[in-house]
Amino acid sequence: MLKGFFNVPKAVNEPVKGYAPNSPEKDAVLSAYQNMWNSKVDVPLYIGSEEIRTGNTRNITAPHDHKHVVGSYHLAEKTHVEKAISNALASREKWANMAWEQRAAIFLKAAELIAGPYRARINAATMIGQSKNIHQAEIDASCELIDFLRYNVEFMTQIYNDQPKSDSTTWNRLEYRPLEGFVYAITPFNFTAIAANLPASAAMMGNVVVWKPSDSQVFSAKVITDVFKEAGVPDGVINVVFGDALMITDTVLASPDFAGVHFTGSTHVFKEIWAKIGANINRYKTYPRIVGETGGKDFIIAHPSANVKQVATGIVRGAFEFQGQKCSAASRAYIPQSLWPAVKEQVISDVKSMKMGSPEDFGNFITAVIHEGSFDKLAKYIDQAKKDADAEIIVGGNYDKSVGYFVEPTVIVTTNPKYTTMETELFGPVITIYVYEDAKWGETLELVDTTSEYALTGAVFSQDRYAIEVATTKLQNAAGNFYINDKPTGAVVGMQPFGGARASGTNDKAGSALNLLRWVSPRTIKETFVTPEDYRYPFLG
Ligand code: NAD
């Protein structure tokens, strides 16, 4: 163990590169894209020091060109999951006992590898495998992931620094132990940064991990594992298994050493996992930590005093960037009658100006949705809206899956504030708008608060400070991330800690010390310098 209280580099947010025509970053990412597009990757399971190829494989394809195969990945069987657990546990003691600054160095190095030599590759993988345009790939796979790693190292040191009082007779210490067992990270398709952060944040605090990425994010998950390896994450600390989510989860949750789940994904899956943990509670050696960030039905409400252009831009960017597949994406909006004609005009003209196609063409704002299941679900709701008397599609409404899973950005206007698409998370480029009478501001806030089971993000647009105050108070529990005069997406690590409540998750705020605290089990150490040698207190005379 080295001697010294070490300071870590001050965390700074990674600047977002512009990818303007002829810029070096544009050339680099397009060259990486073309290389990856024209070769085939073979992604194994990563268990301990082994790369396991089970031979039972599935293709990796691009959502915007679903017949184009860019590789394949190997699916785990139950024995592989058990092996991942035993490798994690075998690596635990050494990793948990490693000095914190060594762990910090590994993850700081990972951040710099992504900022430099891996940037083009991780962005290109995200563009191909998850169909993000270059800006969306850059802010996620590069910048947000770099920020998670840098800030979490700083938060880790803040946590370790948080120590109880002592006096001259006793010295009190808090030791931030990792959990006793292993952590299970289950990650979604929609953010490369989240996929990396869920296993990395637990590992950074000294835990060993079994990580199950989404089937729709394997391409960039492979780059993440390459980065972690090069940065020096030891074998067995983060074990990666792909395949049948139910089987993998059931196998993991059956282990007595299961110590916590770090989940991001849909609400029903998280509730199912929670119920299984409850049913298995007598098996476990310790009460598992249950951390989950889940769905949203994120809102925009405009007050009659709002600026029309700002509202329309908030709707268009908030609802349609990355095809609406952000948990924070605006998917219901409440606009006063007095502003509606102007807002409507701008929203329609903005949407009509958006180009849709492959992310390789940087002129495309919109690309494909993630997979056929998502496409079919969106098509179903759009078709229903075309039939329903209380709904009208004012722009978009077309879809085509012949080449890629393309769904036009679609705006539904409803006269029914409880219309199905005002309440249900669709997770695609569809927003539903309810136009309210200007005088019904208070009632409309009530509607916003009570219309969906979720409480992830929401935004109010207003130039009237009283209205902002009323909305901020009334909607206190309607969103874990609340925006004033801004779209409800685009949280930045270190600036807007992210997470929601109600059915949207446990609100453990990714990108903050609050999240890292879930991955430690503090031990209090009291040391007495002059220890009593007689049981009698003075009052006994
Ligand atoms: P998903 O729930 O389909 O999948 C998430 C993960 O869970 C994947 O790894 C998947 O394989 C696994 N999974 C699926 N079924 C499972 C089961 N029965 N048991 C165990 N694991 C299972 O979600 P997705 O489509 O990848 O991501 C979209 C969802 O994630 C949306 O609901 C979105 O709102 C949510 N999300 C939330 C946040 C947040 O911070 N709140 C962030 C990103 C995404």
Side-chain angles (χ1 to χ4, degrees):
M1 193 79 77
L2 300 181
K3 315 293 179 289
F5 296 121
F6 306 110
N7 293 328
V8 294
K10 181 92 200 107
V12 287
N13 291 98
E14 178 65 12
V16 178
K17 290 187 188 277
Y19 297 88
N22 303 319
S23 59
E25 66 266 20
K26 178 169 180 179
D27 292 347
V29 81
L30 280 180
S31 150
Y33 187 104
Q34 278 142 16
N35 278 339
M36 294 170 103
W37 188 260
N38 293 316
S39 47
K40 299 239 184 319
V41 68
D42 177 45
V43 187
L45 313 175
Y46 296 87
I47 300 179
S49 60
E50 286 182 74
E51 294 189 357
I52 296 178
R53 291 178 168 78
T54 61
N56 180 14
T57 59
R58 214 175 269 163
N59 283 339
I60 306 173
T61 54
H64 48 278
D65 186 352
H66 50 63
K67 291 187 187 68
H68 185 83
V69 177
V70 288
S72 58
Y73 62 104
H74 292 255
L75 307 178
E77 285 168 18
K78 194 166 190 285
T79 49
H80 301 111
V81 184
E82 287 163 350
K83 190 169 169 154
I85 295 170
S86 58
N87 268 278
L89 293 172
S91 311
R92 184 183 175 278
E93 191 178 341
K94 218 169 158 189
W95 179 244
N97 289 330
M98 182 189 264
W100 67 263
E101 73 272 12
Q102 307 294 343
R103 281 188 265 122
I106 289 171
F107 290 106
L108 289 171
K109 176 166 179 171
E112 294 323 292
L113 288 172
I114 296 160
Y118 280 85
R119 193 180 199 117
R121 197 158 12 132
I122 203 163
N123 283 345
T126 303
M127 292 165 77
I128 293 171
Q130 291 137 273
S131 287
K132 293 205 173 194
N133 68 29
I134 179 57
H135 177 68
Q136 295 301 317
E138 166 77 3
I139 59 174
D140 161 24
S142 291
C143 300
E144 185 171 354
L145 176 47
I146 294 164
D147 292 351
F148 271 134
L149 295 166
R150 289 181 184 155
Y151 276 89
N152 279 348
V153 165
E154 189 169 298
F155 297 140
M156 172 175 70
T157 63
Q158 287 169 7
I159 289 171
Y160 289 168
N161 259 317
D162 191 3
Q163 293 294 325
K165 276 189 186 165
S166 298
D167 61 25
S168 58
T169 64
T170 54
W171 185 10
N172 301 314
R173 281 165 274 174
L174 262 191
E175 183 201 11
Y176 293 92
R177 303 172 301 183
L179 306 183
E180 199 178 5
F182 70 93
V183 171
Y184 179 34
I186 316 177
T187 56
F189 79 82
N190 67 334
F191 277 90
T192 303
I194 296 177
N197 182 50
L198 299 200
S201 51
M204 191 182 288
M205 301 310 285
N207 296 283
V208 288
V209 180
V210 174
W211 171 27
K212 197 213 82 60
S214 160
D215 287 321
S216 303
Q217 188 261 327
V218 176
F219 206 47
S220 57
K222 161 83 172 91
V223 184
I224 294 168
T225 56
D226 291 346
V227 169
F228 285 169
K229 204 165 192 58
E230 187 166 340
V233 176
D235 293 338
V237 170
I238 296 177
N239 301 275
V240 191
V241 286
F242 303 105
D244 178 351
L246 259 182
M247 179 280 288
I248 295 172
T249 301
D250 288 347
T251 308
V252 166
L253 299 185
S255 167
D257 293 294
F258 166 68
V261 62
H262 204 184
F263 175 84
T264 297
S266 49
T267 297
H268 75 97
V269 172
F270 185 53
K271 287 186 174 173
E272 195 179 303
I273 292 169
W274 192 305
K276 284 181 184 169
I277 294 171
N280 284 344
I281 197 67
N282 290 319
R283 289 173 186 242
Y284 304 133
K285 294 179 182 166
T286 179
Y287 293 103
R289 300 289 165 92
I290 307 177
V291 176
E293 294 304 330
T294 64
K297 191 68 199 172
D298 310 300
F299 60 83
I300 288 176
I301 177 162
H303 182 259
S305 65
N307 174 309
V308 165
K309 286 188 169 169
Q310 293 171 4
V311 173
T313 304
I315 290 174
V316 168
R317 281 188 169 175
F320 300 134
E321 285 186 306
F322 187 35
Q323 297 75 260
Q325 298 170 119
K326 301 187 182 191
C327 46
S328 54
S331 60
R332 54 184 172 126
Y334 303 77
I335 310 297
Q337 253 164 7
S338 59
L339 301 189
W340 177 234
V343 171
K344 179 179 176 183
E345 191 185 328
Q346 188 180 327
V347 166
I348 291 177
S349 93
D350 281 355
V351 169
K352 285 190 169 161
S353 75
M354 287 175 176
K355 290 206 291 167
M356 181 163 75
S358 162
E360 191 178 1
D361 175 350
F362 281 23
N364 290 327
F365 190 80
I366 302 283
T367 72
V369 299
I370 193 69
H371 49 48
E372 190 165 22
S374 170
F375 178 94
D376 290 347
K377 176 179 173 182
L378 291 160
K380 192 184 92 186
Y381 278 95
I382 289 171
D383 286 348
Q384 190 60 45
K386 287 177 183 165
K387 290 185 210 139
D388 286 337
D390 50 358
E392 183 199 357
I393 293 176
I394 59 165
V395 67
N398 298 308
Y399 45 79
D400 180 353
K401 65 177 172 184
S402 52
V403 177
Y405 302 115
F406 289 105
V407 177
E408 275 181 1
T410 299
V411 179
I412 301 172
V413 176
T414 183
T415 50
N416 171 9
K418 302 275 175 162
Y419 183 68
T420 169
T421 59
M422 292 296 278
E423 295 185 317
T424 312
E425 184 187 52
L426 304 188
F427 221 59
V430 178
I431 186 167
T432 310
I433 294 178
Y434 173 69
V435 181
Y436 71 90
E437 287 173 37
D438 287 36
K440 293 196 172 162
W441 169 243
E443 288 103 304
T444 308
L445 288 175
E446 176 69 18
L447 264 179
V448 173
D449 192 34
T450 53
T451 292
S452 102
E453 63 175 321
Y454 300 107
L456 190 51
T457 75
V460 60
F461 283 81
S462 171
Q463 303 302 319
D464 175 337
R465 202 72 223 179
Y466 287 116
I468 291 171
E469 187 184 24
V470 169
T472 308
T473 306
K474 176 71 195 162
L475 300 176
Q476 186 178 41
N477 294 307
N481 282 56
F482 187 68
Y483 292 80
I484 298 169
N485 291 323
D486 205 347
K487 65 183 169 48
T489 58
V492 174
V493 177
M495 299 203 187
Q496 297 100 24
F498 191 80
R502 294 185 184 161
S504 292
T506 53
N507 201 13
D508 287 294
K509 295 293 189 219
S512 83
L514 295 171
N515 179 278
L516 298 188
L517 278 170
R518 301 301 309 274
W519 310 118
V520 291
S521 175
R523 174 167 73 144
T524 304
I525 301 172
K526 175 189 177 188
E527 181 168 352
T528 299
F529 295 128
V530 181
T531 309
E533 294 181 0
D534 180 351
Y535 89 89
R536 293 170 191 81
Y537 292 105
F539 75 89
L540 292 171

